[in-house]
Structures are given as structure tokens and as C-alpha cells.
Amino acid sequence: MNKLILSIRNLKKYFDNNVVLDGISLDVNKGDVISIIGSSGSGKSTFLRCINRLEDSNDGEIYYYDDKKSYRIDNSAYYQKKKIKSDTRKRIKTLKIKKASKEEIFKVKKEGLNQLKSLKNKNDIVDINYVRSKVTMVFQNFNLFNNMDVLENCIIAQRKVLHRSYEEAKEIALTQLKRVGLQDRVNYRVNEISGGQKQRVAIARALCMNPEVLLFDEPTSALDPEMVGEVLDVIKELSSEGMTMIIVTHEMKFAHEVSTKVVFLDQGKVLEEGDPEQVFNNPKNSRTKEFLQRYIGSNK
Amino acid sequence: MSSWDKIVKLLEDYYQTFLNGVISTLLLAIVGTGIGLLIGIIVALGRNIKIKETDRFIIKILKRVTKVLASIYVNFFRGTPMMVQAMIIFFGSSLFGINWTNMGSWWIFNGYMYCGLFVITINTGAYMSEIIRSGLNGIDKGQEEASRSLGMSYWKTMFLVIMPQALRNTLPTILNEYIVNVKDSSVLNVIGLTELYASVSIATNKNYFKVEGYIIIAIIYLVLTLLATLLVNIIQRKLDGKKIFINPFKHTKEVISYE
């Protein structure tokens, strides 16, 4: 049962000089439900988007394990190159200011070149779109395709990415729509169903791809309290069926109930991780304590 | 002879000329808008290319060149009158060995018509690309993200998710461009193309019923554009309407059999 399906090593992400993710490592086993909590701007969503490759990470590796083989994604080569180049340039500049001899400058240049040569493109991904279809994502704003109806929303990616036949894709789509309790909304347009139903369709759409991991990016933040319930029920049911999920959420009570592991992120770093009982009841870090107190206080 | 008699006489004697003029004008407007739309889609995609930081150097340059070329095309053809473009292309083509007047003629098709079609198409393409581009930029970014996150490639995302929505949103503007083309094709008479406007001079060069001739074509232009406006309004109303896209029986059968 403890089969590793996703492994993230020292993931880093910068926007210009703004560090968003600062060396995050996480292992995901089959059947894990991992909740990621933390205040806004702590990099939770960016972390999920890096896993789904909507954002390129600047450093660190992500390993995806399939039934047959593993895929490694490592975008760091480009950024390392850039760093070596700028470093060498800076060193030459300082040497020139010091009026060093030409030989010294040449030495520095050669050093930089050697460093560049030793770098290799470590990214050994063959089909990034296939990997993406194995870690599908559910968004905060649903993002259902507006030009299609509910069933077509679930079918299109199966047909175009997994190359299933229309009949097969439809059967799978209907099964998944039934799983989220929407079998009677199959031929509705996207703008005719409520927010909660939209999010459930989005979950079904993601499930249709037979993903190894399901990523939830604040799935209930755009919903009113009544609709939150129906979406959370679906997620709970999925977890009881053994679906592997990573959930970014502000619903602390729900995270406590459903998850097998809780990760607290702050300013791009993992401050605390462990099983929910321990993190919610006996947080070790003072920052976690502060955060949880504010949340649980407001929830009561 | 009253004006009314003159109009009747013109229509009796030259109805064939006016009919050919109407067909020419409609041909110019429809072909110009249709092919212009295709050019517009391609150019809009070219202008919308995103240059990624991690792209290789050569690809970065290629993308930049595409963007600049597309931008030059759009700005040139939007920034100069179609009359001037027509003259430049008609007389300037001889530099490249193309002689429009030498081409064979059949019915309304001759060298002037081919040149006119070329000019109106390329001119409309520039306007269309801006219309399509605004449509593409108006689509929520989440649509693309959702599609990419499911594993669909850029082109699949573009043509299955983004472009249908952009075209639907800009359809009224696109049809408006057709109305503009119906009227603006009249300037193409400067290269000797006999469309509706030029057909008046043929019909009146012996009898001098100028005013009556122009009144006739004014009414014809009005009818053509009003019909198109009507079409735009109907389509717009249907797009705004809630249930227009639903076929309630589309999947019902399968669902029942599934249950």
C-alpha cells in the first residue's frame, strides 16, 4: 500500500527576485490525503501549480512514478546557467575595477565555461502532457470550458490526450459524473448549473483522466457555505475510496477530518508537517500555533 | 420625363448591369470577410505569441520576428486607405511580373476582380486580426490553465477551447466587418473593377440619368446592409439567450439507458 507516486525534492520558485517557494520537499504515497495550510501568499497555490507544471520551477526536482516507469522533471539547468553567467560577469567586473591582469580575467572566464559544460539538461521528460494528465487539478474558480456542456467537458480531454474512443470516453464520463452525483445534469450548459455543481463537474472532469494524484487548489473558496458542504462531501467520499489527493484549503475542520498528513507552509517553507492530530492539537512551531489559533478562533 | 420614369427606364434597360454589380459587390464582401477572417486568426495567433524566458535563443528570435512582421502588417493595412492600397497593389504588381489586365475574363471574373478580391481580403485580414485578438484576450485565463492542466497541448487548447469562445464573443463584430466591406468595396472602382458603384457609370454614360442611377444603388446598398444588420441582431439575440445551445434530447437517451 505504501507505494510512492510523487516525490518532490527541494523545489524552488522565484518570481524575479521574489522567493515564493524556498526548498520544499514532499513525498506522496498512494492513498495519502495531504492538506496544505498556511496564510495567503505563502506559496500554497504556486506549489500545486508547480506539481501540475503550470509554472516552471526554478530549482529542485519532481519525480512522478507511474505503474511502469518514473518521470523526472528538473528545470534547474536553465536557471543554473543563467546564474553562472551572471556570476562570472560580476566577477570579471570586480576584477576589472581592481585592474587585474588579462590572464586572471581569462582564468575566470574559463572557469565559468567549464561550469557551463558540466551542466547537462537533466529534464528527461518525454511527454509532459501525459504527466500532466496524471496529476490533474481542480481550480478555485472551476474553470469549466464555457463552450461545451457538462458531458463534453468531461469527454474532450480523454479523447484528445488519452485517445479514447467517443463511446469509451462517454461511459467513463457518465460513471464519474454519477460518482459526484450529477447524472441528471449531464446535458446542461456550464452557465446553467450552480457553483457547487460546477466544482463537482470539475472534480469529475479531473477524475476522468484516471489521475494518480488529484490536486485541489482551494476548491471551496469561491462557494457560499451551503455549497461548500456538497463539494467537501464529494472529496470525503473520494478519500474513503482511497484516492490520492493534495488539498490546499482554508477549511481547517475539514482538513483535520479528511487528511492523513498536514503541511503548514509559511513564506515558501515547510514549517511543520505531520499527522493532523499532532499539527492541529500540539503544534511545535510558534508560527503554526499563531496561525491555527486565529483560524480556529474565527471558526468557532 | 420625371425622375420616377428615369429610374424605371434605367432599371428596364440596365437591370443586367446592376445585377452583375450586386453580385460583384457581394462576392467581394463575402470572400473578403471569409478569407480575411482566416488571415485574421493566423495573424492574431502570431501577434499573441508569448516569448518564454526558458526558450532557446533561436526560437526567441523567430518568435520576435513573427510578432514584428504581424504587427507591421496590421498597422500598415489599418493605417492607410484601401483606395491607396488598391492602387499600389494594382500598379505595383507589375514590378513582380504580375499583370492583372492580362488575365482571362469570364462573366464578372477578370483581372480587376482578382486584384480587388486580393486587396479587400488582405485589408480585412488586418482588421479581423485585431478583432480576433481582442476576443482571445477577453477569454478568462483560467480556461487555458484548466485545459493545459488536463494535458491538452497548446494548439488543442487554442482550437478546441479558446478560439470557439473568442469567435462566439466576436461574432457580431465580425459580421459588422462584412457590412463595412459591402460599402467599402465601392472604392475598388479606382482600379477599374465594375462593382455596384461602377455599374452606375456604365448605365448612365449615354443617357446622363446620374442622380437616378445613384439613388438606385443607394437603395440597393441600404437593402444589402440592412439585411446583414438584421442577421447580426438575430444572431446576437440568440447568443444572449440562455438556452440557445441546448439540445435537450442530445444525450437523454444514453443517460436513460445508462440508468
Side-chain angles (χ1 to χ4, degrees):
Chain A
M1 193 63 203
N2 251 357
K3 196 183 142 221
L4 198 64
I5 50 176
L6 183 66
S7 171
I8 297 137
R9 290 273 152 266
N10 199 25
L11 196 72
K12 284 184 185 170
K13 170 81 190 166
Y14 324 112
F15 288 119
D16 298 326
N17 288 326
N18 197 0
V19 181
V20 184
L21 298 180
D22 194 3
I24 293 184
S25 299
L26 186 70
D27 284 334
V28 183
N29 290 317
K30 200 164 178 58
D32 272 359
V33 179
I34 296 177
S35 294
I36 300 177
I37 55 173
S39 51
S40 307
S42 58
K44 307 183 300 290
S45 294
T46 314
F47 179 54
L48 278 199
R49 291 163 65 85
C50 279
I51 296 176
N52 192 252
R53 311 310 300 154
L54 284 174
E55 305 273 2
D56 282 340
S57 48
N58 296 30
D59 201 357
E61 298 113 58
I62 305 178
Y63 297 86
Y64 302 87
Y65 299 95
D66 204 347
D67 287 338
K68 292 155 206 161
K69 52 179 182 177
S70 72
Y71 304 86
R72 181 172 74 169
I73 287 194
D74 184 351
N75 279 66
S76 57
Y78 169 82
Y79 295 97
Q80 281 172 10
K81 240 185 233 172
K82 208 173 158 191
K83 205 179 168 232
I84 291 169
K85 276 183 191 167
S86 71
D87 281 358
T88 344
R89 229 170 273 149
K90 263 182 211 163
R91 277 172 69 191
I92 290 172
K93 227 181 200 175
T94 48
L95 280 178
K96 273 184 182 167
I97 290 167
K98 283 179 191 165
K99 292 189 176 159
S101 68
K102 272 187 182 174
E103 281 167 19
E104 270 180 83
I105 293 175
F106 187 72
K107 219 185 221 172
V108 172
K109 265 187 192 170
K110 203 166 185 189
E111 234 171 73
L113 276 177
N114 283 340
Q115 276 178 322
L116 281 182
K117 267 181 198 166
S118 67
L119 277 180
K120 275 179 201 161
N121 198 5
K122 298 177 198 160
N123 204 345
D124 61 18
I125 276 302
V126 189
D127 185 1
I128 189 148
N129 285 331
Y130 177 74
V131 172
R132 272 189 172 141
S133 76
K134 288 288 144 200
V135 280
T136 47
M137 193 154 168
V138 175
F139 295 86
Q140 184 177 356
N141 299 323
F142 328 129
N143 294 344
L144 294 181
F145 307 138
N146 292 325
N147 54 334
M148 303 172 196
D149 67 18
V150 168
L151 185 62
E152 282 163 348
N153 258 291
C154 297
I155 284 177
I156 181 133
Q158 295 186 61
R159 300 254 294 141
K160 299 295 168 188
V161 182
L162 303 179
H163 306 291
R164 288 177 180 152
S165 71
Y166 179 78
E167 303 299 320
E168 194 191 353
K170 189 158 78 180
E171 202 171 301
I172 292 170
L174 287 172
T175 318
Q176 300 300 353
L177 283 170
K178 200 181 180 199
R179 200 167 165 189
V180 297
L182 285 173
Q183 61 272 41
D184 55 338
R185 292 285 185 276
V186 167
N187 41 14
Y188 277 56
R189 295 297 301 185
V190 168
N191 54 7
E192 290 175 323
I193 54 179
S194 70
Q197 287 170 342
K198 274 183 196 171
Q199 193 61 292
R200 275 147 68 195
V201 173
I203 293 171
R205 181 177 71 175
L207 284 172
C208 283
M209 307 298 290
N210 293 351
E212 299 283 336
V213 188
L214 208 50
L215 310 173
F216 289 89
D217 186 4
E218 301 190 21
T220 55
S221 298
L223 299 172
D224 67 48
E226 225 168 294
M227 288 170 179
V228 168
E230 61 183 82
V231 173
L232 293 187
D233 284 345
V234 169
I235 300 176
K236 265 181 212 166
E237 210 179 293
L238 287 178
S239 82
S240 70
E241 286 168 23
M243 186 76 214
T244 318
M245 296 184 276
I246 303 179
I247 308 170
V248 166
T249 186
H250 288 300
E251 303 274 336
M252 294 304 151
K253 211 175 138 203
F254 168 72
H256 193 162
E257 263 175 59
V258 82
S259 48
T260 57
K261 188 174 178 181
V262 178
V263 178
F264 177 67
L265 276 192
D266 190 52
Q267 298 183 339
K269 280 184 184 146
V270 177
L271 280 195
E272 187 146 3
E273 63 176 301
D275 67 299
E277 287 298 325
Q278 185 248 313
V279 174
F280 282 108
N281 296 336
N282 295 309
K284 285 172 200 158
N285 198 301
S286 61
R287 177 76 187 85
T288 321
K289 232 177 249 174
E290 193 189 325
F291 174 81
L292 284 174
Q293 250 167 14
R294 203 171 294 159
Y295 252 97
I296 289 165
S298 70
N299 274 7
K300 274 171 189 172
Chain B
M1 210 175 186
S2 72
S3 281
W4 180 247
D5 294 333
K6 286 178 184 171
I7 288 175
V8 172
K9 185 149 179 21
L10 269 180
L11 284 177
E12 271 175 2
D13 292 355
Y14 293 100
Y15 74 94
Q16 195 64 47
T17 316
F18 286 121
L19 194 65
N20 281 349
V22 170
I23 294 169
S24 299
T25 294
L26 281 179
L27 185 75
L28 285 167
I30 291 170
V31 171
T33 317
I35 303 179
L37 180 62
L38 291 180
I39 295 177
I41 289 173
I42 295 166
V43 175
L45 288 176
R47 288 197 81 180
N48 254 12
I49 288 177
K50 281 173 211 126
I51 299 174
K52 267 168 74 182
E53 196 193 359
T54 46
D55 279 339
R56 280 161 68 194
F57 186 66
I58 295 171
I59 293 184
K60 265 185 193 167
I61 287 180
L62 278 178
K63 283 183 173 177
R64 176 74 62 195
V65 168
T66 316
K67 279 183 101 145
V68 169
L69 284 181
S71 165
I72 288 172
Y73 162 71
V74 170
N75 285 318
F76 178 77
F77 281 96
R78 285 203 317 165
T80 52
M82 189 155 80
M83 221 171 188
V84 178
Q85 293 160 16
M87 292 306 251
I88 290 174
I89 288 171
F90 186 70
F91 293 110
S93 302
S94 59
L95 293 177
F96 302 100
I98 300 168
N99 194 342
W100 298 101
T101 49
N102 273 357
M103 291 177 182
S105 70
W106 170 74
W107 189 32
I108 54 169
F109 294 98
N110 52 32
Y112 303 108
M113 180 53 104
Y114 300 140
C115 184
L117 285 172
F118 181 71
V119 172
I120 201 165
T121 303
I122 208 162
N123 180 284
T124 313
Y127 284 94
M128 281 295 184
S129 86
E130 285 301 279
I131 293 170
I132 301 291
R133 202 160 72 101
S134 72
L136 288 178
N137 293 344
I139 303 299
D140 181 22
K141 226 178 156 220
Q143 298 281 318
E144 190 189 337
E145 278 176 3
S147 176
R148 296 306 296 276
S149 81
L150 290 170
M152 299 226 267
S153 67
Y154 173 81
W155 293 108
K156 281 175 188 165
T157 302
M158 186 48 82
F159 286 109
L160 295 169
V161 178
I162 313 283
M163 195 57 88
Q165 293 183 45
L167 287 180
R168 204 190 87 173
N169 293 349
T170 51
L171 194 60
T173 332
I174 289 169
L175 287 173
N176 195 44
E177 194 61 26
Y178 164 78
I179 294 174
V180 170
N181 273 343
V182 168
K183 294 181 293 170
D184 278 8
S185 61
S186 63
V187 303
L188 290 172
N189 80 85
V190 289
I191 59 168
L193 174 57
T194 43
E195 32 66 69
L196 189 51
Y197 174 79
S199 65
V200 177
S201 46
I202 293 173
T204 58
N205 62 354
K206 281 180 191 153
N207 49 29
Y208 295 106
F209 297 162
K210 290 280 180 195
V211 179
E212 288 74 15
Y214 285 119
I215 287 173
I216 290 172
I217 65 160
I219 291 168
I220 296 175
Y221 273 125
L222 199 59
V223 169
L224 292 181
T225 51
L226 282 181
L227 281 178
T229 314
L230 206 66
L231 190 71
V232 173
N233 286 346
I234 290 172
I235 289 174
Q236 211 157 16
R237 211 175 302 144
K238 289 203 166 181
L239 285 181
D240 292 344
K242 214 180 161 193
K243 300 221 168 189
I244 176 62
F245 285 110
I246 296 181
N247 174 0
F249 304 109
K250 200 168 158 194
H251 304 296
T252 319
K253 214 171 155 193
E254 288 87 334
V255 177
I256 290 167
S257 68
Y258 171 79
E259 293 288 309

